[in-house]
Amino acid sequence: MSDMITIALSKGRLADQALDLLEASGYDCSAAREKSRRLILEDEKAGLRFIMAKPADVPTYVEYGAADIGVVGKDTLLEEGRQLYEVIDLEFGACQMCVCGPVSLKGKLDQIPNKRVASKYPNITRSYFEGTKRESVEIIKLNGSVELAPLIGLAEVIVDIVESGRTLRENGLDVLEVIADISARVIVNRVSMKMKAQSILPMLDALRAQLAKQKEQKCREEAAST
Amino acid sequence: MGDYRFHTPDGVSDLLPDDCLTKRGLEHRLRGVFASNGYQEIETPGIEFYDVYAGGSFVAQENLYKLSDQEGRILSLRYDGTVPVARLAATLFKDVEPPIRLSYLENMYRFRESGGGRQREFSQAGVELLGISSPQADAEVIALAIASALEIGLTDLQISIGQAEFFRGLMEEWGIAAEDAAEISRHIDQKDTVALEKAADRFGLSIEAKETLLMIPALFGAYETLDAFEKRVKSPRAIAALQNVREILEILDDYGYMKYMTVDLGMLRSLDYYTGMIFKGFTYEIGFPVISGGRYDKVISAFGRDMAAVGFSLSVHLCMSALRRQGKEFLHTHVDTVIGYSREPGMRKMALSMAESLRNEGLIVLVDCEGMDEETLNHFTEKKSIEQMVFLNSSSCDCEEEETCQI
């Protein structure tokens, strides 16, 4: 039985940050650092196999057990709503999922009935408005530049990720309501957690320890600079 | 729209001869295990009234396949094996003295499940033990689940056991309201320690309670897991739950099955459904549990009869996928002998009776019905990889017959 661990990473910055952390925790990730177009990168000696996937597909790979572990943003997890173990908050890639709209709508959001909401995240939008706010809305799925929608009258508000809020402000929009805090998470397949516990649990412990160490270091640096 | 003549709907699949043969083999072995343990097989209708499932709110309506009858009543395709058995227990079996041991092996239909290992139509084999609420009954059902998995070749098996009452007892001890408890159980079930910590702070748990809470998703072992929690909890309900798991494990040890068991008190999905121990079975090469079961004493009471119940179901489909990926034996369809004959009088009759006697010896035999001559039949035999060919004609029939009799 192969005890190799398959890790699904979200292509891009998140993958690099995840690899940095894994390496700092004592795992050899040189296989994944290879600059190539290969989608599966394997290091038999280290017992690791990496899959480079689109962020939205990472939870899918992990839920079906095609990957044992994944690193993915909380936004993707909320949107995909899959059955997984969500074990560590890596705290990088931090931002917020928000309802945004024209500044003039601040505090008046509830007064618009059946509003149109544009978003890249239709499931998060539905669960927030229908579940949390108990309100029916018309959801318009867009694939990018969502800020356009309220500007040209396609929708009253949008649901999107806000990091600095600069794009919003430059377009006369603002955060109206915060739905959730977002950051990168480590997820684990429910079966792998049991069947490969001997390799997965130590890895999770090592990651947690490294995170704590980095946090402590940061605190000390901050204390020193003030 | 499209032309769907050539397609099957999402989440269903055709079963071709090799797979079908393998599946029938597994089914046969599963039925054998159930029967030899005194679980009598039943069949329930493929179509139930919607109320059967919706009445006790056991299943979210989005997950049921719905249709309606001519009177406009809503029907639902069979979703699971347990709820129809509960209906039976309260109706046709209402005068039957417990305990009742039943088994089923049927196709289930679930909407919204498809892709990967998940099918919308899939076979489940399962048992229900009704009318006994004891650790012995719990252990019997878990042991039967293990025996079933071993019987079909799933030897790399792990069973996790939890207890719904443990969590309920803790929530009671800490005075947490039902709605908040539901949120906490969701975080525990996802092993989301981040959200769990935040929730603990929000609900004002003591430091000690918070530590205990965070141990739930983190700890899984055997007796030591139970020991660790026993020292920390005060609620009699939670302590009784731990004691129940301990007793079940001790009995499973007598079965010789302890090596397959781990305790995981963080398995809290379908918490509304389970009233006691909960268990799931895992194996390699498949991302979903292949076995799922537990004690659900309130399911039958939703049908008006107060009756304890414990059971499990095993997904035949997922087990097949796991066995295939684990490289375990798979059956292949084959034909042992093909018999052809010349047009001379009496040859057909001889061919038919020879085929019958070979079949009686357990061989799989085809008789040609295309009127092939010897050479064509020879070609056919090779093409179809049939092991043996017999061609009967008046000049050769005597020796041919002798030859085949020696097979």
Side-chain angles (χ1 to χ4, degrees):
Chain A
M1 222 48 62
S2 117
D3 235 14
M4 191 164 244
I5 296 185
T6 305
I7 303 176
L9 296 174
S10 311
K11 265 189 253 175
R13 199 173 49 169
L14 211 52
D16 292 333
Q17 283 172 305
L19 289 172
D20 289 345
L21 185 68
L22 267 169
E23 267 170 354
S25 314
Y27 287 87
D28 179 6
C29 301
S30 40
R33 298 286 194 187
E34 257 176 66
K35 287 271 170 271
S36 79
R37 287 172 159 261
R38 284 177 39 210
L39 298 171
I40 300 178
L41 303 150
E42 196 168 301
D43 185 340
E44 225 162 294
K45 223 169 58 225
L48 298 177
R49 181 191 292 135
F50 295 91
I51 304 177
M52 296 297 168
K54 273 191 89 153
D57 295 335
V58 170
T60 314
Y61 282 110
V62 176
E63 186 189 34
Y64 289 153
D68 302 304
I69 295 183
V71 176
V72 68
K74 178 75 179 169
D75 52 328
T76 312
L77 288 175
L78 287 171
E79 180 63 19
E80 295 289 314
R82 301 209 168 256
Q83 286 162 18
L84 313 148
Y85 290 141
E86 189 183 319
V87 288
I88 305 179
D89 183 351
L90 294 175
E91 292 178 18
F92 47 72
C95 53
Q96 287 183 313
M97 183 65 68
C98 301
V99 182
C100 311
V103 186
S104 59
L105 278 182
K106 247 192 179 160
K108 295 182 197 147
L109 194 56
D110 292 338
Q111 292 166 17
I112 316 168
N114 292 87
K115 51 184 150 290
R116 296 165 301 165
V117 186
S119 183
K120 273 194 280 187
Y121 303 93
N123 295 329
I124 295 175
T125 306
R126 186 174 307 282
S127 105
Y128 180 67
F129 280 101
E130 291 183 0
T132 312
K133 289 176 69 93
R134 297 185 187 272
E135 186 186 338
S136 300
V137 291
E138 185 188 333
I139 296 166
I140 300 169
K141 163 93 163 87
L142 293 178
N143 294 301
S145 304
V146 185
E147 296 85 358
L148 258 175
L151 300 180
I152 55 167
L154 178 65
E156 276 78 35
V157 291
I158 62 173
V159 165
D160 205 9
I161 279 183
V162 179
E163 235 181 301
S164 65
R166 221 183 105 196
T167 323
L168 286 178
R169 280 191 300 277
E170 283 180 3
N171 288 292
L173 303 172
D174 206 350
V175 171
L176 303 177
E177 282 169 13
V178 176
I179 298 177
D181 288 322
I182 305 292
S183 56
R185 305 293 161 102
V186 176
I187 54 176
V188 181
N189 174 270
R190 285 176 175 251
V191 176
S192 304
M193 188 73 126
K194 316 258 170 173
M195 299 304 290
K196 296 187 180 175
Q198 279 163 327
S199 9
I200 288 180
L201 294 182
M203 180 183 277
L204 297 180
D205 285 342
L207 288 175
R208 283 196 194 97
Q210 180 60 27
L211 272 178
K213 207 166 102 188
Q214 287 179 357
K215 222 180 199 175
E216 199 186 312
Q217 206 172 348
K218 210 168 144 196
C219 280
R220 239 182 297 134
E221 276 166 21
E222 269 167 28
S225 66
T226 55
Chain B
M1 293 296 281
D3 176 356
Y4 293 114
R5 269 184 305 169
F6 303 108
H7 303 280
T8 53
D10 291 348
V12 303
S13 53
D14 297 310
L15 214 50
L16 301 182
D18 282 358
D19 281 350
C20 200
L21 183 74
T22 302
K23 182 161 180 264
R24 290 292 171 270
L26 300 184
E27 288 170 351
H28 179 72
R29 288 194 254 171
L30 290 168
R31 286 196 165 101
V33 181
F34 295 168
S36 65
N37 282 274
Y39 285 77
Q40 295 163 346
E41 185 171 357
I42 54 160
E43 260 187 38
T44 60
I47 309 170
E48 294 272 358
F49 277 117
Y50 174 73
D51 295 359
V52 170
Y53 286 108
S57 61
F58 299 119
V59 185
Q61 66 159 323
E62 299 94 312
N63 293 343
L64 290 168
Y65 269 94
K66 292 172 283 284
L67 42 149
S68 69
D69 69 6
Q70 282 159 321
E71 279 87 67
R73 294 174 295 198
I74 308 176
L75 309 173
S76 158
L77 295 190
R78 189 197 300 107
Y79 176 88
D80 76 346
T82 302
V83 173
V85 164
R87 171 180 60 71
L88 277 180
T91 55
L92 295 174
F93 283 149
K94 69 178 188 300
D95 298 323
V96 176
E97 189 96 359
I100 304 173
R101 286 179 169 84
L102 299 173
S103 72
Y104 58 86
L105 204 169
E106 282 175 317
N107 279 0
M108 307 302 166
Y109 299 87
R110 294 186 185 176
F111 217 57
R112 291 210 307 184
E113 293 203 19
S114 78
R118 293 199 294 186
Q119 293 278 319
R120 289 180 174 174
E121 178 189 47
F122 55 95
S123 300
Q124 270 191 347
V127 305
E128 312 288 342
L129 172 46
L130 312 179
I132 312 179
S133 183
S134 72
Q136 286 83 354
D138 291 339
E140 175 176 314
V141 165
I142 296 176
L144 191 51
I146 295 172
S148 305
L150 296 179
E151 175 70 21
I152 57 173
L154 286 176
T155 43
D156 288 301
L157 184 69
Q158 213 189 98
I159 304 278
S160 287
I161 181 171
Q163 236 285 6
E165 281 292 289
F166 173 73
F167 178 74
R168 293 203 190 97
L170 275 187
M171 293 299 108
E172 205 176 71
E173 180 183 329
W174 298 337
I176 292 180
E179 207 169 294
D180 299 338
E183 186 197 323
I184 292 179
S185 79
R186 211 167 43 243
H187 297 325
I188 292 179
D189 190 60
Q190 295 179 340
K191 299 204 188 291
D192 186 349
T193 41
V194 188
L196 204 53
E197 246 175 284
K198 282 185 196 153
D201 293 339
R202 207 166 66 240
F203 301 138
L205 290 186
S206 69
I207 294 172
E208 211 197 328
K210 190 173 153 183
E211 269 175 23
T212 310
L213 190 65
L214 289 170
M215 275 166 64
I216 302 177
L219 280 195
F220 35 90
Y223 293 116
E224 72 275 14
T225 307
L226 299 173
D227 296 339
F229 283 107
E230 244 154 29
K231 281 185 216 125
R232 305 183 68 100
V233 300
K234 289 178 199 72
S235 146
R237 204 172 165 186
I239 289 172
L242 294 173
Q243 188 52 33
N244 172 252
V245 174
R246 187 181 295 277
E247 277 179 62
I248 294 170
L249 290 180
E250 282 165 1
I251 302 166
L252 285 167
D253 204 6
D254 288 346
Y255 276 97
Y257 287 158
M258 192 57 204
K259 61 178 175 209
Y260 300 112
M261 302 300 301
T262 46
V263 174
D264 179 358
L265 294 163
M267 285 190 304
L268 295 176
R269 210 139 60 85
S270 321
L271 197 60
D272 299 337
Y273 188 72
Y274 291 111
T275 55
M277 70 90 180
I278 302 171
F279 72 104
K280 289 199 187 301
F282 307 93
T283 183
Y284 284 106
E285 307 292 335
I286 188 103
F288 302 91
V290 291
I291 291 170
S292 176
R295 175 163 288 286
Y296 23 80
D297 289 345
K298 283 193 194 132
V299 177
I300 303 178
S301 68
F303 291 88
R305 185 179 185 184
D306 203 13
M307 199 179 207
V310 57
F312 80 85
S313 67
L314 171 151
S315 165
V316 180
H317 180 90
L318 290 178
C319 286
M320 269 179 74
S321 305
L323 287 169
R324 182 181 288 119
R325 292 181 204 154
Q326 290 175 7
K328 296 278 165 65
E329 58 152 333
F330 252 60
L331 300 176
H332 295 285
T333 48
H334 72 286
V335 173
D336 294 307
T337 309
V338 60
I339 303 176
Y341 53 90
S342 72
R343 289 165 191 241
E344 292 155 288
M347 289 302 119
R348 180 174 61 208
K349 191 170 180 187
M350 193 180 290
L352 294 174
S353 79
M354 179 191 278
E356 212 38 47
S357 66
L358 289 176
R359 284 178 191 135
N360 287 337
E361 285 170 35
L363 294 182
I364 299 171
V365 184
L366 292 184
V367 178
D368 167 47
C369 53
E370 293 174 74
M372 287 187 262
D373 61 24
E374 190 163 2
E375 201 193 320
T376 321
L377 187 69
N378 205 352
H379 190 64
F380 173 84
T381 308
E382 253 170 54
K383 205 170 71 184
K384 296 275 183 186
S385 324
I386 296 170
E387 253 168 57
Q388 178 124 30
M389 159 202 149
V390 177
F391 191 83
L392 299 175
N393 57 37
S394 55
S395 60
S396 69
C397 69
D398 288 347
C399 60
E400 285 284 358
E401 196 167 9
E402 253 166 52
E403 200 179 294
T404 48
C405 286
Q406 287 164 3
I407 299 169

